[in-house]
Amino acid sequence: MGKEITSRQEDYSQWYNDLVIKGGLADYSAVRGCMVIKPHGYSLWENMSDQLDRMFKETGHQNAYFPLFVPKSFLEKEEGHAEGFAKECAVVTHYRLKADPTSNGKLIVDPEAKLEEELIIRPTSEAIIWNTYKDWIQSYRDLPILVNQWANVVRWEMRTRLFLRTAEFLWQEGHTAHATKEEAVEETKKMLGVYATFAEEYMALPVVRGLKTESEKFAGAEDTYSIEALMQDGKALQCGTSHFLGQNFAKAFDVKFLNKENQQEYVWATSWGASTRLVGAVVMAHSDDDGLVLPPRIAPLQVVIIPISSKDATAQSKINDKAHQLMRELKAANISVKYDNDDSNRPGWKFAEYEMKGVPVRIALGARDLQNNVAEVVRRDTKEKQSISLDELASHVVKLLGNIQNDMFNKAKSYRDAHTTRVDSWDDFEKTLDEKGGFISAHWDGTAETEDAIKEKTKATIRCIPLDAVKENGKCILTGKPSTQRVLFARAY
RNA sequence: CGGGAGGUAGUUCAGCCCGGUAGAAUACGUGGUUUGGGACCACGGGGUCGCAGGUUCGAAUCCUGUCCUCCCGACCA
């Protein structure tokens, strides 16, 4: 009855769509490639973005806001950057509509209102920001600039998927300016670390920190680092990127500073971003065939209390009293909790509904429980039921939420580790990819040609060169040429 | 952007081939009985059949165009 979810086994893509739609996270919109993020989904994103925002501020960054529109001439300035994004830009060419003289009630673009220079809707903000930084920076005393912005961006994608790839999406983009290369490189790595910590501690999502290959790196960057996670279907998902931009944007926008020796130098730059794709990641990594499974630390609602109502008015008022007391205790412990005493749905319906929405802990309170001085406590991740004494219920739930958070991380990590395979022959490479999926740790000769050839043959790409890779002599999986370390391959979203 | 499927009540879908009063389930409203895994009874409200043209006495149904979605590819966070 009610909302059915397609099982993972039957159709993984449809399962994911069902979760997002039926779990109340988002809806399709009337606009091609764009989604409506619903309150439950936005609340999840807020819990994630709020925490990231705290972590950015703890590492010395401040928020600012730059324009949505980027003059085309700005975007052109950094050549690699321009080439990388040109294919997916939305362009504003006019600034006015007028009534259609040939069709009553319709509007047309006013041909008189053509912009002298087209405006590009930002696919990312390096261009407009570096054009601005030029005015902010004269001396080494003006550096570093450590700025982040929370914004929407538009990339005109051919094929979209809820949260994972939409034409418009929400994200944050950090843009920093530094006096030295060393400092910029350190910043790049520091922010990669922030993303990794966030993913692991809050999203309960184990990630691999690594360096992107030349062909996978950001358009305009010297080096791109990313965190890579593994989804339940064995495909990889990039969950955050941090770029060392060198002096590329400083040179393109002529941003120089006077150093202590009174000499002009170009500024060193970084940028780093994470998007609403993280919502897709957390959904896909943990959920099951009954709905969303959300980590307690970012769940929009952590605990729901469901009364098993009784005809007996005395028993009913005891249930209400106990539920309200419990809510006070949990709120005092900084836990979000809801008492669902809406009489229009029966308990069984509510059980299914809150499982669908991924609420980590459910407490059922009935007359029978109160007689025994207990409540039924059920954890969403394992569905395990426990009868807990009312006297220690609040403290038990606090501990339980912590356990769920840890268990979810450990479960995801066991899966990830079990699906990371060291492979040393081409036959094994193809076989592992097809039969098992996941990450494949293998040697690569370091050339873009080989990388492309592997992608052509298997659809697997190099997700990253892990930062913790040990130096080890070996032979390239495809060409047999010498290699000094393993890289991580996978099919990816 | 190529290939496939689809758009009819809030939702899932039937009806379309073979044109003739727009249906089911579920959801929703009211009243009542209920409440430990998606309750039951009674009554009730709800759809310009994605949109725009065309053919026809008559179009959800046939034709053309267009928009949107899903799946599979190519491209990408």
Side-chain angles (χ1 to χ4, degrees):
Chain A
M1 291 297 292
K3 301 175 183 173
E4 293 292 331
I5 290 181
T6 307
S7 72
R8 281 166 287 191
Q9 200 175 5
E10 191 186 327
D11 185 342
Y12 191 86
S13 295
Q14 193 56 49
W15 167 77
Y16 174 76
N17 287 332
D18 285 356
L19 286 178
V20 172
I21 301 288
K22 293 172 182 175
L25 299 179
D27 266 338
Y28 293 110
S29 75
V31 185
R32 181 193 183 84
C34 299
M35 64 175 176
V36 174
I37 304 177
K38 296 176 77 177
H40 190 54
Y42 201 82
S43 174
L44 177 57
W45 170 240
E46 275 181 320
N47 286 345
M48 296 166 75
S49 57
D50 286 354
Q51 177 56 31
L52 279 171
D53 197 62
R54 278 191 285 276
M55 294 168 85
F56 297 154
K57 285 170 181 162
E58 277 164 16
T59 44
H61 302 85
Q62 288 184 298
N63 287 332
Y65 188 79
F66 296 84
L68 170 70
F69 302 116
V70 182
K72 194 180 74 179
S73 57
F74 289 14
L75 205 67
E76 288 164 351
K77 288 193 178 176
E78 210 291 327
E79 205 175 337
H81 188 64
E83 272 177 36
F85 284 105
K87 297 188 299 287
E88 48 189 14
C89 287
V91 184
V92 179
T93 56
H94 292 73
Y95 59 86
R96 192 164 64 208
L97 300 173
K98 66 174 189 179
D100 184 346
T102 65
S103 182
N104 203 17
K106 297 286 168 65
L107 294 170
I108 58 168
V109 173
D110 187 345
E112 307 276 297
K114 194 170 184 333
L115 290 171
E116 206 146 295
E117 180 179 359
E118 291 92 347
L119 294 172
I120 312 304
I121 299 183
R122 63 183 165 213
T124 179
S125 301
E126 275 77 4
I128 187 75
I129 286 177
W130 279 88
N131 183 75
T132 308
Y133 281 1
K134 177 182 166 63
D135 297 335
W136 291 4
I137 299 167
Q138 277 91 41
S139 143
Y140 70 92
R141 295 176 194 274
D142 297 322
L143 297 171
I145 293 177
L146 302 175
V147 160
N148 175 64
Q149 86 165 342
W150 290 93
N152 58 340
V153 288
V154 168
R155 296 181 187 175
W156 210 264
E157 298 291 348
M158 287 306 156
R159 188 172 169 202
T160 58
R161 302 197 67 189
L162 293 164
F163 287 111
L164 299 178
R165 180 172 298 106
T166 47
E168 180 193 12
F169 57 93
L170 306 183
W171 78 346
Q172 59 64 219
E173 44 182 325
H175 294 274
T176 68
H178 305 266
T180 65
K181 177 179 180 178
E182 291 67 32
E183 194 182 303
V185 168
E186 190 191 330
E187 167 80 5
T188 309
K189 290 181 177 170
K190 180 198 285 176
M191 298 321 287
L192 185 80
V194 166
Y195 289 141
T197 301
F198 173 75
E200 299 195 331
E201 293 186 2
Y202 288 83
M203 296 168 65
L205 188 65
V207 293
V208 177
R209 302 148 179 79
L211 180 66
K212 286 291 194 184
T213 61
E214 200 62 19
S215 49
E216 292 273 333
K217 78 180 188 187
F218 175 73
E222 291 290 309
D223 292 313
T224 287
Y225 295 86
S226 72
I227 54 171
E228 300 282 334
L230 197 61
M231 303 294 106
Q232 293 182 61
D233 60 348
K235 285 169 84 172
L237 184 69
Q238 179 176 308
C239 289
T241 52
S242 185
H243 315 291
F244 168 61
L245 301 175
Q247 294 173 310
N248 294 346
F249 284 89
K251 285 176 180 166
F253 289 89
D254 195 33
V255 186
K256 293 177 188 164
F257 70 100
L258 215 47
N259 66 18
K260 284 180 187 173
E261 285 76 41
N262 203 32
Q263 289 165 329
Q264 294 273 355
E265 277 188 67
Y266 284 113
V267 173
W268 297 86
T270 82
S271 70
W272 27 275
S275 72
T276 36
R277 169 179 267 197
L278 291 178
V279 175
V282 79
V283 166
M284 242 203 256
H286 300 301
S287 302
D288 64 23
D289 291 348
D290 293 320
L292 300 171
V293 179
L294 300 176
R297 293 186 87 174
I298 55 170
L301 179 66
Q302 293 169 305
V303 176
V304 63
I305 304 170
I306 296 174
I308 310 298
S309 299
S310 169
K311 276 184 295 189
D312 180 347
T314 316
Q316 184 58 42
S317 87
K318 270 187 193 161
I319 291 171
N320 286 336
D321 290 349
K322 196 70 214 176
H324 284 113
Q325 182 201 332
L326 186 54
M327 274 209 294
R328 282 194 299 276
E329 288 171 12
L330 290 174
K331 280 179 181 167
N334 221 10
I335 287 168
S336 61
V337 53
K338 172 181 169 181
Y339 178 42
D340 186 352
N341 59 351
D342 180 350
D343 201 35
S344 57
N345 291 311
R346 303 177 74 207
W349 189 92
K350 292 175 188 173
F351 295 168
E353 186 63 16
Y354 290 106
E355 276 168 12
M356 181 79 76
K357 294 211 158 146
V359 179
V361 171
R362 178 180 85 224
I363 299 170
L365 265 183
R368 210 166 68 204
D369 295 315
L370 292 192
Q371 275 168 16
N372 299 321
N373 197 44
V374 296
E376 182 190 78
V377 176
V378 184
R379 51 190 288 180
R380 175 63 184 92
D381 61 333
T382 61
K383 304 233 178 64
E384 184 191 348
K385 293 182 182 178
Q386 278 183 296
S387 197
I388 303 297
S389 162
L390 290 179
D391 305 326
E392 54 193 43
L393 188 53
S395 62
H396 176 83
V397 167
V398 173
K399 261 183 276 168
L400 182 59
L401 287 168
N403 290 344
I404 292 172
Q405 183 79 32
N406 289 335
D407 291 352
M408 284 178 69
F409 176 80
N410 289 332
K411 184 182 175 191
K413 187 165 187 302
S414 306
Y415 177 86
R416 200 272 311 272
D417 292 346
H419 290 80
T420 301
T421 315
R422 285 164 69 97
V423 161
D424 291 306
S425 78
W426 180 251
D427 283 352
D428 277 355
F429 185 89
E430 287 191 303
K431 199 175 148 197
T432 304
L433 207 52
D434 286 336
E435 291 173 9
K436 186 175 168 189
F439 288 126
I440 295 180
S441 177
H443 282 281
W444 164 59
D445 64 20
T447 67
E449 292 72 32
T450 301
E451 191 180 0
D452 281 350
I454 293 174
K455 186 180 177 186
E456 184 72 24
K457 284 174 191 290
T458 64
K459 294 183 182 109
T461 50
I462 298 176
R463 299 321 303 156
C464 69
I465 303 159
L467 295 187
D468 59 5
V470 286
K471 293 291 168 191
E472 168 193 297
N473 288 321
K475 288 178 180 169
C476 174
I477 198 79
L478 185 67
T479 63
K481 291 179 186 164
S483 149
T484 57
Q485 63 181 358
R486 289 172 186 271
V487 299
L488 220 47
F489 290 88
R491 290 189 179 132
Y493 277 96

